[in-house]
Amino acid sequence: VLTGIRYPPRHARDFDVRPLAAVAASHAGPGGTLFGYPDLRLAYDFYLERPAGELATIARVRRMLARPEPGHVLITSRGRWQELSAEAPPSWRVLAAHTLDGREVVVVGSPPP
């Protein structure tokens, strides 16, 4: 019973994607495209108010990063972004970072639309 009572507030605190979703949606604008690598929680779709695509392979992420388009947004872990950023054009930049359950997640954007 105690676990059931304490779980919702703890989950809401530890997995609050709202700050990241707000930055991603704002940067993408109505015509932008949002991606997650390797996956995104369904909560992102809810708070983004549109579905986000998932780039399941590193090759797909590299292709997307190589061709920055206005309004493209990638949501991934800080560690993955550090690996990918060395290959990405400098126009990609971290727009926001937030810790979710002990893991830092970043929103990375291409040039604004």
Side-chain angles (χ1 to χ4, degrees), residues 32-79:
T33 305
L34 302 139
F35 299 100
Y37 174 70
D39 57 9
L40 287 179
R41 296 178 168 277
L42 289 175
Y44 281 100
D45 290 353
F46 178 79
Y47 290 111
L48 290 168
E49 298 182 357
R50 60 179 141 176
E54 292 183 359
L55 300 171
T57 66
I58 193 71
R60 290 183 68 195
V61 176
R62 286 185 173 123
R63 282 194 299 272
M64 190 265 298
L65 291 173
R67 296 184 309 272
E69 293 185 28
H72 273 189
V73 173
L74 174 67
I75 301 172
T76 192
S77 70
R78 171 72 73 182

Side-chain angles (χ1 to χ4, degrees), residues 37 58 61-62 65 74-89 92-94 96-97 103-108:
Y37 174 70
I58 193 71
V61 176
R62 286 185 173 123
L65 291 173
L74 174 67
I75 301 172
T76 192
S77 70
R78 171 72 73 182
R80 286 190 178 106
W81 175 244
Q82 287 174 335
E83 293 171 15
L84 292 165
S85 65
E87 303 170 34
W92 287 95
R93 58 184 170 52
V94 174
R103 187 180 86 165
E104 191 173 24
V105 176
V106 295
V107 175
V108 182

